[in-house]
Amino acid sequence: MFRRALNCAAVPALAALAAAYGVSPVQGQEIPQAPGHRLVSSYEGAPAVAVPLPGQAPPQHPYLAPNGRSGMHSDAAGSATVPWSGPLGRNPEVTSERIAALGGECATATFDAGGRIVTVCGTFAGFRVKLLDPATLATLAEYRLPQRSSTVEAITSLDFSKIFKDTSGGAYFYLDDQDRAVLADSRQHVLRLAHTQRADGRWQFEVVDDWDLTSQVPHDCVSWTNLWPSGTCDPVTSVMPDWDGRIWWVTRQGRVGTVDPGSGRIRSVRLPGEEIQNSFAVAEDGVSLVTDHALYSFRATADGTPQVQWRQTYDRGTGTKPGSVNQGSGTTPDLFGDGYVAITDNADDRMNVLVHRRGTDVPADRRLVCKVPVFRPGASTTDNSLISWGNSVIVENNYGYENPTGLLLGKSVVGGLTRIDVRPDGSGCDTVWESDVRSPSTVPKLSAGNGLLYVYEKQPNAWGIDAWYLTAVDFRTGERRWRRLTGTGPLYDNNWAPITLGPDGTAYVGVFNGIVAVRDHS
């Protein structure tokens, strides 16, 4: 999963740093650089030659925008792979857009039929759905969402960790087959927003559907008018459509539900004692989601009620690791290969990549294909989804990353990337390569069009310079091909936001103060 993107309200240290770097409320400016950007390399490596990957892309979901354009994980299967080429590293240029005085991170980026960016950006005042020009990053239209209860709690209690462990409020959204953004806001409403161009040429967002989940989801949440609630608040984490067009939704406290867009009928079930902080993946054979206890496959009954097809527990460890939001898997399930689904566990010593068979007729003792330990003992976890193509999955190590303040003054994480392949006969899995690239918290993206995997890298720096790079890694070998400096300082920390590869070949990165674009320059 991407996890925790848009958790970018202020913490005191970042507020002080932002002031030091001259951040003002004025929009339409680039994100300020921290001192030291002239003392580090701006580009390393050499341009790559595009070598497209053979194989079949995940099936196109009938109710989503085309693969690569529809959501954080690129498609319904959660592959984090796009069919076109990203930048090859030919004299790459960097531009950025500062969204707010503090915060402003634009995490999930989707693309409408005209190539415009539809995104949700987190600010201190609340989330904003934005329409951005893909070339200039200028805001074309904006719709303001209500402030999350975690932000109010953080301000009133001075406990800003509440924000960094909140994945709700619209961070996970998708673009549907009619270019409409569908999300769940902090009021436990599912919204469908269309963007249209007016006669005068200006763009606007319009709420075309609003489904109220509060009849089935506890909603006594902290707000500025309800500072001391006596009831329960259960934030909605994510939404996705199934192959029949129902909109599925999940909550932090283990509720799984559906909305019938035609009738407005809402149905839900509860998984008692289980927490859902990830998004989920969808295929024709059902909905795959992971809680902090188990991996599930669901289908809907005739009236839309979610029904468990199968459940598989995993090793959830004995506690929450640094770099994880809860005691459980940090991954959105990946549906890939010949009927496989992959997640990671939370085992204490070394995290494992788990690959399962998805079929409903698979005996319980044959469901697990492989369990592969990854990264060094005592320092392995991930809070981001896996990347998949064919029978391959790639996992990133996020151990040690908590929030932007943890990597100040040249610090980094232990890092690492590993590629694992399922054997052609399904008899197990093998580790293909391991890389020491340090990508603290991003959702990487793979380009099937050129064979490069893109990560957001930060290496330790003895001079205390916090330098952030877009880095291209060869999918076949794990070799770092090139990297381009995007900026220095905590305002360029991606803070769990993904890399997104646009259909024009640009790589976009949501960062703490807005959004960055890296594109080849001829």
Side-chain angles (χ1 to χ4, degrees):
M1 156 185 134
F2 92 108
R3 306 300 289 259
R4 290 181 287 183
L6 293 178
N7 297 331
C8 51
V11 293
L14 284 170
L17 284 162
Y21 299 150
V23 179
S24 71
V26 179
Q27 295 191 25
Q29 299 180 21
E30 296 222 337
I31 299 169
Q33 299 264 12
H37 64 278
R38 300 185 188 280
L39 302 177
V40 294
S41 173
S42 63
Y43 181 82
E44 296 177 2
V49 175
V51 184
L53 299 176
Q56 188 69 33
Q60 174 60 51
H61 193 296
Y63 293 95
L64 287 179
N67 285 354
R69 294 174 177 257
S70 62
M72 180 174 292
H73 300 306
S74 299
D75 47 52
S79 73
T81 300
V82 303
W84 47 76
S85 178
L88 293 170
R90 295 194 295 257
N91 192 23
E93 61 181 9
V94 177
T95 58
S96 66
E97 179 75 2
R98 179 158 49 101
I99 296 297
L102 189 62
E105 179 177 314
C106 303
T108 302
T110 63
F111 302 90
D112 70 8
R116 290 169 290 268
I117 299 171
V118 183
T119 184
V120 174
C121 304
T123 73
F124 192 64
F127 285 4
R128 302 175 186 178
V129 185
K130 281 182 169 283
L131 184 68
L132 303 180
D133 183 292
T136 66
L137 304 179
T139 297
L140 304 175
E142 177 180 289
Y143 180 85
R144 297 195 176 211
L145 297 172
Q147 196 170 42
R148 297 187 302 174
S149 59
S150 60
T151 302
V152 180
E153 288 183 90
I155 295 170
T156 55
S157 67
L158 297 181
D159 180 4
F160 290 91
S161 66
K162 295 179 183 296
I163 298 170
F164 292 100
K165 293 184 178 293
D166 186 359
T167 59
S168 68
Y172 284 119
F173 79 94
Y174 67 86
L175 202 67
D176 73 9
D177 59 318
Q178 298 181 48
D179 278 349
R180 299 171 299 189
V182 182
L183 57 87
D185 69 16
S186 61
R187 303 170 303 140
Q188 287 84 358
H189 283 231
V190 174
L191 305 180
R192 188 154 61 184
L193 296 95
H195 57 279
T196 57
Q197 193 169 24
R198 304 189 313 195
D200 62 4
R202 291 186 294 175
W203 290 86
Q204 65 181 8
F205 281 104
E206 176 188 5
V207 177
V208 294
D209 291 291
D210 183 339
W211 296 285
D212 185 350
L213 307 183
T214 56
S215 64
Q216 301 193 36
V217 179
H219 55 281
D220 192 10
C221 304
V222 174
S223 68
W224 293 116
T225 58
N226 185 30
L227 290 175
W228 296 279
S230 57
T232 300
C233 176
D234 190 10
V236 181
T237 306
S238 184
V239 293
M240 277 282 283
D242 67 16
W243 235 253
D244 297 316
R246 295 183 194 87
I247 299 172
W248 286 65
W249 48 270
V250 296
T251 73
R252 182 182 303 163
Q253 296 175 16
R255 288 174 171 84
V256 181
T258 68
V259 175
D260 184 320
S263 66
R265 184 172 56 204
I266 300 170
R267 294 288 186 267
S268 67
V269 296
R270 176 92 188 274
L271 306 175
E274 300 188 41
E275 187 175 279
I276 304 171
Q277 291 274 25
N278 305 298
S279 187
F280 50 95
V282 182
E284 289 188 77
D285 60 1
V287 173
S288 297
L289 66 87
V290 65
T291 73
D292 60 347
H293 285 74
L295 172 65
Y296 285 85
S297 176
F298 276 89
R299 284 199 83 100
T301 63
D303 73 346
T305 302
Q307 184 177 65
V308 176
Q309 297 192 102
W310 55 264
R311 178 180 188 267
Q312 183 79 37
T313 59
Y314 61 85
D315 186 349
R316 64 191 297 261
T318 57
T320 302
K321 297 178 182 178
S324 297
V325 73
N326 65 4
Q327 186 185 335
S329 175
T331 52
T332 293
D334 257 67
L335 312 180
F336 73 106
D338 187 17
Y340 299 125
V341 54
I343 61 169
T344 61
D345 65 14
N346 189 49
D348 284 341
D349 187 39
R350 294 179 74 189
M351 173 181 71
N352 298 281
V353 172
L354 308 176
V355 177
H356 298 88
R357 296 179 177 89
R358 296 204 317 257
T360 56
D361 58 347
V362 176
D365 63 351
R366 292 200 66 250
R367 189 164 299 282
L368 183 67
V369 177
C370 64
K371 178 179 180 179
V372 182
V374 289
F375 309 123
R376 69 175 68 170
S380 65
T381 191
T382 193
D383 226 47
N384 283 306
S385 69
L386 303 168
I387 301 92
S388 58
W389 181 258
N391 274 355
S392 303
V393 293
I394 295 173
V395 60
E396 174 187 277
N397 189 10
N398 302 136
Y399 188 88
Y401 184 89
E402 295 283 7
N403 59 61
T405 64
L407 298 189
L408 298 177
L409 302 177
K411 294 193 286 282
S412 190
V413 295
V414 294
L417 296 167
T418 298
R419 173 181 158 184
I420 295 165
D421 283 11
V422 181
R423 295 170 191 155
D425 63 0
S427 63
C429 304
D430 299 299
T431 298
V432 178
W433 51 255
E434 297 174 314
S435 167
D436 62 0
V437 167
R438 303 189 196 211
S439 182
S441 69
T442 196
V443 179
K445 285 297 192 307
L446 174 63
S447 166
N450 64 21
L452 295 178
L453 173 72
Y454 297 87
V455 299
Y456 200 53
E457 186 178 14
K458 185 178 191 288
Q459 293 288 343
N461 186 282
W463 291 33
I465 300 170
D466 298 314
W468 292 89
Y469 290 84
L470 178 73
T471 296
V473 174
D474 192 311
F475 170 80
R476 293 172 171 84
T477 66
E479 175 190 3
R480 183 195 288 106
R481 301 300 300 274
W482 56 266
R483 63 180 184 176
R484 174 64 164 92
L485 179 72
T486 60
T488 53
L491 303 184
Y492 283 87
D493 188 327
N494 74 293
N495 186 35
W496 301 107
I499 293 167
T500 303
L501 301 179
D504 66 349
T506 301
Y508 300 92
V509 187
V511 297
F512 186 83
N513 202 209
I515 187 169
V516 169
V518 181
R519 50 178 59 91
D520 285 338
H521 183 69
S522 55

